[in-house]
Amino acid sequence: MAFFNKLLKKKTVPIPSECTELYRLRDYMASVLNKNGFIARSEYRHELPVFQNTVEFFHVLINSGQITKYCKKYGVQSDEAIDIIDKYSTFDSLVDENNERYVEKTMSEEKSYLDRILYDIDPDIVLDDDQRRVVLCDEDYTLVIAGAGAGKSTTVEAKVKYLVDKKGIDPKEILVISFTNKAVNELKDKINKLLQIDCPVATFHSVGNAVLHKQNPEKLCIVDDNKIYFVLLDYFRNSVLKDENMVKKLIMFFASYFDAPFEGDDLNNFFNNIAKSNFSTLRSDLNEFKQNVIDARTKKSVTIQSEILRSYQEVEIANFLYLNGIDYEYEPVYKYNILFSRKPYTPDFVITQGDNTAYIEHFGITEDGKNDRYSLDQLQSYKKAIRDKIALHRQHGTKLICTYSS
């Protein structure tokens, strides 16, 4: 009797909500990972953050070394608690591993189907492994980057057929969008006619037009060139020219791409002159110039202003300064004498804007100090010269801009 009285007097420690939530988190993650199929991020991204407070609570216990004491008090296995928190922290990676296993397994199990998935279009079409992975991937958003002729359209066609055949997706719920009418017509011919899948295939313009029609029954069309001119003119007057930052960007655009500086008050006449002229961009001029960047007599690099410089990279700097209206002098003698120097110090450039002066030194190594043209000793000597020049400008308080070969 005394034994039972003692047992009744013993206090039972209630399990706190954190432990209950911890096990609920364990069960939830297991249910997601046990899915027999591809796991998309949308299947858990809203539910998983619900456990964030519980995870942070146990993180504090783990980092402070209190996890064992806490778990023992409430009858929780500390190793299991740590494992649950670790899984939460790496859950995206665990899902990726699960999806990779699913794709590999499905590629093997569905090989016959995937081999003949586009048989109705062309019996000779056989998807490669990369295309099959794209078809089987069921992520919410999938970005596939491929060059011309890599089989992007073929992959889209196979993806549509897989979604209908294996995932039971209603063709009306699939939208295929491409850029050009030609590409859309080819996709329509293959998907709608040959594969007999009645899903909408359209250009970006027609999709946008359809979206607008849902809210506005008015018939819309792309404006002609005359209307575009007045739309842009109105936009410039009422939006761009009233925004100081946008005006600066506009000036930089015209300064960089047109040899037509705006003068006077007649904005309409200015744009008309541009429309009638045949201006070449500076980019095209520079591309043509770069083909003749070496002086035929001296074999040295030449700038737009026909200056002969020591390197092509210095030519690029000089051309940039010239095109942006920055006055510069190449290899000027530094205004401070250097004791015991055998020759005057001549920085690569000095630039001036009003009363402001700065020097530019261009170094023929990368910013992290590499260049495969130099030996180790040469590189160390070059880097010492860089440090000496920087120290010299710091000593005399002159502004120095450093550029590097990469």
Side-chain angles (χ1 to χ4, degrees):
M1 191 68 181
F3 169 76
F4 287 107
N5 287 334
K6 185 177 180 181
L7 190 63
L8 289 171
K9 290 179 181 177
K10 187 175 181 181
K11 293 183 180 179
T12 302
V13 180
I15 298 177
S17 60
E18 287 81 8
C19 294
T20 305
E21 284 295 290
L22 182 69
Y23 284 122
R24 199 164 75 86
L25 171 60
R26 176 198 62 186
D27 295 341
Y28 176 73
M29 292 191 296
S31 69
V32 174
L33 294 174
N34 287 336
K35 175 187 174 182
N36 183 25
F38 195 98
I39 305 169
R41 293 289 191 266
S42 61
E43 296 182 44
Y44 63 87
R45 70 174 143 191
H46 297 300
E47 186 70 23
L48 210 56
V50 171
F51 300 97
Q52 182 64 36
N53 290 338
T54 301
V55 171
E56 289 177 357
F57 176 82
F58 280 93
H59 263 308
V60 171
L61 292 175
I62 293 170
N63 294 333
S64 64
Q66 299 296 313
I67 185 66
T68 302
K69 181 180 178 181
Y70 178 88
C71 289
K72 185 177 180 180
K73 180 178 180 180
Y74 296 110
V76 177
Q77 295 294 324
S78 59
D79 290 344
E80 183 180 18
I82 294 171
D83 182 61
I84 294 170
I85 300 304
D86 286 343
K87 280 185 178 178
Y88 178 93
S89 302
T90 60
F91 197 68
D92 282 345
S93 297
L94 295 174
V95 169
D96 290 339
E97 292 171 7
N98 179 88
N99 289 341
E100 179 62 24
R101 288 192 296 269
Y102 167 77
V103 169
E104 289 287 347
K105 177 185 174 184
T106 309
M107 283 176 63
S108 175
E109 293 177 349
E110 298 284 359
K111 183 179 184 305
S112 297
Y113 169 78
L114 293 171
D115 284 345
R116 295 172 55 85
I117 192 170
L118 296 180
Y119 187 86
D120 292 335
I121 293 177
D122 185 346
D124 294 328
I125 294 178
V126 178
L127 303 181
D128 61 27
D129 284 349
D130 288 335
Q131 289 173 312
R132 294 176 191 228
R133 287 178 178 277
V134 174
V135 169
L136 296 175
C137 176
D138 200 20
E139 189 54 84
D140 303 300
Y141 308 100
T142 304
L143 172 65
V144 181
I145 301 174
K152 296 186 292 295
S153 296
T154 299
T155 307
V156 170
E157 295 152 13
K159 180 81 174 183
V160 170
K161 183 168 174 58
Y162 176 79
L163 290 174
V164 174
D165 288 352
K166 297 295 183 178
K167 294 295 182 179
I169 304 297
D170 184 347
K172 300 298 183 183
E173 297 295 317
I174 301 173
L175 173 61
V176 179
I177 305 177
S178 190
F179 284 98
T180 65
N181 288 321
K182 179 182 177 183
V184 165
N185 290 333
E186 290 177 357
L187 287 167
K188 282 182 176 179
D189 185 59
K190 293 176 180 177
I191 295 174
N192 298 152
K193 294 181 181 179
L194 298 178
L195 294 179
Q196 296 185 344
I197 298 174
D198 191 23
C199 71
V201 183
T203 62
F204 282 94
H205 283 113
S206 59
V207 170
N209 195 31
V211 171
L212 291 173
H213 268 299
K214 290 190 71 174
Q215 301 296 329
N216 183 6
E218 179 185 356
K219 185 177 180 180
L220 302 172
C221 61
I222 299 174
V223 298
D224 59 31
D225 289 344
N226 290 330
K227 289 183 180 179
I228 288 177
Y229 167 77
F230 288 107
V231 168
L232 291 175
L233 183 61
D234 184 64
Y235 173 71
F236 276 117
R237 280 176 171 163
N238 296 324
S239 298
V240 176
L241 298 180
K242 292 182 179 180
D243 184 335
E244 182 179 352
N245 187 46
M246 287 298 293
V247 169
K248 290 179 180 179
K249 291 180 179 180
L250 181 65
I251 292 172
M252 283 301 299
F253 173 79
F254 285 118
S256 299
Y257 287 95
F258 294 105
D259 186 18
F262 173 55
E263 295 179 356
D265 300 322
D266 194 344
L267 188 64
N268 187 59
N269 185 55
F270 169 66
F271 282 114
N272 280 331
N273 287 335
I274 289 179
K276 294 175 183 177
S277 301
N278 183 26
F279 295 114
S280 60
T281 65
L282 291 179
R283 178 176 293 182
S284 66
D285 290 342
L286 285 178
N287 284 338
E288 180 180 349
F289 174 79
K290 286 175 183 177
Q291 297 172 3
N292 305 293
V293 74
I294 304 299
D295 180 79
R297 182 177 60 83
T298 63
K299 305 300 181 184
K300 291 186 176 181
S301 301
V302 183
T303 68
I304 291 174
Q305 300 187 94
S306 299
E307 299 166 301
I308 297 175
L309 274 55
R310 297 179 184 275
S311 72
Y312 175 68
Q313 291 182 356
E314 288 182 345
V315 166
E316 288 189 300
I317 294 172
N319 287 342
F320 174 85
L321 297 173
Y322 172 74
L323 293 172
N324 287 280
I326 300 173
D327 292 330
Y328 71 88
E329 182 183 352
Y330 182 63
E331 292 194 341
V333 175
Y334 190 56
K335 60 182 179 178
Y336 296 103
N337 292 324
I338 303 174
L339 292 176
F340 310 117
S341 176
R342 290 179 294 176
K343 62 178 184 178
Y345 167 47
T346 55
D348 292 329
F349 299 92
V350 61
I351 59 176
T352 55
Q353 285 186 308
D355 296 331
N356 295 318
T357 299
Y359 294 91
I360 299 176
E361 278 285 16
H362 179 69
F363 302 122
I365 61 175
T366 63
E367 196 164 357
D368 58 354
K370 297 178 182 177
N371 188 312
D372 54 12
R373 293 181 304 168
Y374 296 139
S375 67
L376 184 60
D377 289 341
Q378 289 174 325
L379 195 58
Q380 294 301 324
S381 177
Y382 195 99
K383 283 157 56 170
K384 181 182 181 302
I386 293 175
R387 292 192 296 270
D388 290 345
K389 289 178 180 179
I390 294 174
L392 180 65
H393 285 273
R394 187 175 292 124
Q395 175 188 347
H396 293 288
T398 48
K399 297 177 183 177
L400 175 64
I401 299 171
C402 299
T403 61
Y404 297 85
S405 64
S406 63

